[in-house]
Amino acid sequence: MPIVHLMSHAIDLGFSAARGAEMLSLLLAGGFVSRLGFGLLADRIGGLRTILIGSIGQAATLSLFIWIDGLTGLYLSALAFGLAFGGLVTTYSLVARELFPLGEVGWRIGVILLCGTLGMAGGGYLGGLVYDLAGSYRIAFLTGVIFNLGNLVIVLGLLFRLRPAASADLSRAS
Protein backbone atom coordinates (compact mmCIF):
# COMPACT_ATOMS: atom_id res chain seq x y z
CA MET A 1 0.00 0.00 0.00
CA PRO A 2 2.73 2.58 0.75
CA ILE A 3 4.26 2.06 -2.68
CA VAL A 4 1.00 3.18 -4.28
CA HIS A 5 -0.02 5.88 -1.80
CA LEU A 6 3.15 7.30 -0.27
CA MET A 7 3.42 10.28 -2.62
CA SER A 8 -0.24 11.21 -2.15
CA HIS A 9 0.13 10.79 1.61
CA ALA A 10 3.16 13.12 1.60
CA ILE A 11 1.26 15.70 -0.45
CA ASP A 12 -1.75 15.43 1.90
CA LEU A 13 0.62 16.20 4.77
CA GLY A 14 1.76 19.37 3.00
CA PHE A 15 5.01 18.17 1.40
CA SER A 16 5.85 18.57 -2.28
CA ALA A 17 5.54 15.79 -4.82
CA ALA A 18 9.34 15.85 -5.06
CA ARG A 19 9.61 14.96 -1.34
CA GLY A 20 7.08 12.17 -1.84
CA ALA A 21 9.16 10.87 -4.76
CA GLU A 22 12.26 10.91 -2.56
CA MET A 23 10.39 8.88 0.06
CA LEU A 24 9.32 6.39 -2.57
CA SER A 25 12.90 6.15 -3.85
CA LEU A 26 14.13 5.39 -0.33
CA LEU A 27 11.41 2.77 0.08
CA LEU A 28 12.38 1.06 -3.18
CA ALA A 29 16.11 1.24 -2.38
CA GLY A 30 15.38 -0.42 0.95
CA GLY A 31 13.44 -3.09 -0.92
CA PHE A 32 16.42 -3.79 -3.15
CA VAL A 33 18.77 -4.19 -0.18
CA SER A 34 16.16 -6.27 1.62
CA ARG A 35 16.01 -8.86 -1.15
CA LEU A 36 19.69 -9.57 -0.65
CA GLY A 37 19.46 -9.52 3.13
CA PHE A 38 16.41 -11.78 3.27
CA GLY A 39 18.24 -14.33 1.13
CA LEU A 40 21.19 -14.38 3.52
CA LEU A 41 18.87 -14.58 6.52
CA ALA A 42 16.80 -17.39 4.97
CA ASP A 43 20.00 -19.38 4.38
CA ARG A 44 20.69 -19.21 8.10
CA ILE A 45 17.27 -19.57 9.75
CA GLY A 46 14.98 -20.88 7.00
CA GLY A 47 12.45 -19.25 4.75
CA LEU A 48 9.38 -19.42 6.98
CA ARG A 49 11.15 -17.82 9.95
CA THR A 50 12.48 -15.15 7.59
CA ILE A 51 8.93 -14.46 6.39
CA LEU A 52 7.85 -14.16 10.02
CA ILE A 53 10.54 -11.55 10.69
CA GLY A 54 9.66 -9.67 7.51
CA SER A 55 5.94 -9.78 8.26
CA ILE A 56 6.47 -8.44 11.77
CA GLY A 57 8.68 -5.71 10.34
CA GLN A 58 6.18 -4.89 7.62
CA ALA A 59 3.28 -4.57 10.08
CA ALA A 60 5.39 -2.46 12.46
CA THR A 61 6.77 -0.15 9.80
CA LEU A 62 3.41 0.23 8.07
CA SER A 63 1.97 1.38 11.38
CA LEU A 64 4.57 4.17 11.48
CA PHE A 65 2.75 5.90 8.60
CA ILE A 66 -0.31 6.20 10.86
CA TRP A 67 1.51 8.27 13.46
CA ILE A 68 4.43 10.02 11.78
CA ASP A 69 3.83 13.21 9.85
CA GLY A 70 7.25 14.92 9.89
CA LEU A 71 9.54 14.87 6.87
CA THR A 72 12.49 13.10 8.50
CA GLY A 73 10.22 10.54 10.14
CA LEU A 74 8.51 9.82 6.84
CA TYR A 75 11.86 9.34 5.10
CA LEU A 76 12.96 6.90 7.81
CA SER A 77 9.59 5.13 7.81
CA ALA A 78 9.73 4.70 4.04
CA LEU A 79 13.23 3.24 4.22
CA ALA A 80 12.26 0.94 7.11
CA PHE A 81 9.17 -0.26 5.26
CA GLY A 82 11.25 -0.99 2.16
CA LEU A 83 13.72 -3.00 4.24
CA ALA A 84 10.87 -4.97 5.83
CA PHE A 85 8.77 -5.72 2.76
CA GLY A 86 11.30 -6.05 -0.04
CA GLY A 87 12.45 -9.58 0.55
CA LEU A 88 9.10 -11.08 1.45
CA VAL A 89 7.91 -11.99 -2.04
CA THR A 90 11.21 -13.58 -3.03
CA THR A 91 11.25 -15.56 0.22
CA TYR A 92 7.88 -17.13 -0.61
CA SER A 93 9.61 -19.14 -3.34
CA LEU A 94 12.14 -20.45 -0.82
CA VAL A 95 9.36 -21.51 1.52
CA ALA A 96 7.56 -23.33 -1.29
CA ARG A 97 10.77 -25.29 -1.91
CA GLU A 98 11.14 -26.04 1.80
CA LEU A 99 7.55 -27.24 2.26
CA PHE A 100 6.58 -29.06 -0.93
CA PRO A 101 7.99 -31.96 -2.96
CA LEU A 102 10.29 -30.94 -5.80
CA GLY A 103 7.80 -32.05 -8.47
CA GLU A 104 5.16 -29.66 -7.11
CA VAL A 105 7.28 -26.58 -6.47
CA GLY A 106 6.97 -24.98 -9.92
CA TRP A 107 3.20 -24.73 -10.08
CA ARG A 108 2.94 -23.85 -6.40
CA ILE A 109 5.36 -20.93 -6.79
CA GLY A 110 3.26 -19.72 -9.72
CA VAL A 111 0.09 -19.82 -7.62
CA ILE A 112 1.83 -18.19 -4.64
CA LEU A 113 3.20 -15.34 -6.74
CA LEU A 114 -0.14 -14.85 -8.52
CA CYS A 115 -1.98 -14.63 -5.21
CA GLY A 116 0.71 -12.35 -3.77
CA THR A 117 0.52 -10.03 -6.75
CA LEU A 118 -3.29 -9.93 -6.58
CA GLY A 119 -3.03 -9.23 -2.84
CA MET A 120 -0.63 -6.35 -3.40
CA ALA A 121 -2.81 -4.90 -6.15
CA GLY A 122 -5.87 -5.33 -3.95
CA GLY A 123 -4.04 -3.60 -1.08
CA GLY A 124 -3.31 -0.58 -3.23
CA TYR A 125 -6.92 -0.45 -4.42
CA LEU A 126 -8.31 -0.99 -0.90
CA GLY A 127 -6.05 1.75 0.46
CA GLY A 128 -7.45 4.17 -2.11
CA LEU A 129 -11.01 3.10 -1.42
CA VAL A 130 -10.60 3.55 2.33
CA TYR A 131 -8.99 6.94 1.74
CA ASP A 132 -11.90 7.98 -0.49
CA LEU A 133 -14.45 6.86 2.10
CA ALA A 134 -12.67 8.12 5.22
CA GLY A 135 -10.71 11.05 3.80
CA SER A 136 -7.59 9.90 5.64
CA TYR A 137 -4.56 7.83 4.83
CA ARG A 138 -4.19 7.07 8.54
CA ILE A 139 -7.27 4.85 8.40
CA ALA A 140 -6.09 3.32 5.12
CA PHE A 141 -2.71 2.45 6.66
CA LEU A 142 -4.47 1.05 9.74
CA THR A 143 -6.47 -1.21 7.42
CA GLY A 144 -3.18 -2.40 5.93
CA VAL A 145 -1.80 -3.12 9.41
CA ILE A 146 -4.89 -5.22 10.20
CA PHE A 147 -4.36 -7.28 7.04
CA ASN A 148 -0.68 -7.68 7.97
CA LEU A 149 -1.70 -9.01 11.37
CA GLY A 150 -3.87 -11.59 9.58
CA ASN A 151 -0.81 -12.60 7.59
CA LEU A 152 1.16 -12.97 10.83
CA VAL A 153 -1.48 -15.34 12.20
CA ILE A 154 -1.13 -17.51 9.08
CA VAL A 155 2.68 -17.56 9.25
CA LEU A 156 2.66 -18.35 12.97
CA GLY A 157 0.12 -21.11 12.35
CA LEU A 158 2.39 -22.65 9.73
CA LEU A 159 5.40 -22.43 12.03
CA PHE A 160 3.60 -24.11 14.91
CA ARG A 161 2.03 -26.70 12.63
CA LEU A 162 5.36 -27.62 11.06
CA ARG A 163 7.44 -27.56 14.26
CA PRO A 164 6.38 -31.04 15.50
CA ALA A 165 7.03 -32.52 12.03
CA ALA A 166 10.52 -31.00 11.90
CA SER A 167 11.30 -32.28 15.41
CA ALA A 168 10.12 -35.80 14.46
CA ASP A 169 12.29 -35.77 11.32
CA LEU A 170 15.32 -34.78 13.38
CA SER A 171 14.72 -37.52 15.97
CA ARG A 172 14.37 -40.18 13.23
CA ALA A 173 17.64 -39.03 11.68
CA SER A 174 19.57 -39.55 14.92
Side-chain angles (χ1 to χ4, degrees):
M1 184 186 309
I3 293 171
V4 176
H5 296 285
L6 186 55
M7 282 191 61
S8 297
H9 179 54
I11 292 168
D12 277 2
L13 292 173
F15 302 108
S16 69
R19 297 295 161 252
E22 289 170 350
M23 291 174 206
L24 185 57
S25 294
L26 279 171
L27 189 155
L28 295 173
F32 172 77
V33 171
S34 175
R35 281 170 174 72
L36 301 173
F38 272 47
L40 293 171
L41 186 61
D43 287 344
R44 288 177 173 59
I45 67 170
L48 199 53
R49 287 188 180 115
T50 302
I51 287 177
L52 176 65
I53 291 168
S55 295
I56 291 169
Q58 182 172 282
T61 57
L62 183 58
S63 70
L64 294 175
F65 292 109
I66 298 168
W67 309 110
I68 295 176
D69 58 8
L71 189 60
T72 302
L74 287 169
Y75 282 140
L76 293 173
S77 298
L79 178 61
F81 182 83
L83 290 169
F85 107 95
L88 280 174
V89 174
T90 55
T91 308
Y92 292 148
S93 298
L94 296 173
V95 171
R97 178 59 194 105
E98 290 174 0
L99 299 181
F100 299 108
L102 187 58
E104 297 180 14
V105 171
W107 74 265
R108 289 184 186 268
I109 289 174
V111 169
I112 290 167
L113 294 179
L114 173 66
C115 292
T117 302
L118 291 174
M120 286 183 275
Y125 175 80
L126 180 62
L129 180 64
V130 170
Y131 174 80
D132 288 343
L133 294 173
S136 168
Y137 275 115
R138 294 180 196 276
I139 296 170
F141 288 131
L142 177 61
T143 303
V145 170
I146 292 167
F147 275 92
N148 271 269
L149 294 176
N151 177 61
L152 278 172
V153 169
I154 293 168
V155 173
L156 285 169
L158 284 170
L159 275 169
F160 286 118
R161 181 175 174 207
L162 297 173
R163 182 174 292 176
S167 298
D169 290 342
L170 289 175
S171 65
R172 276 186 254 142
S174 333

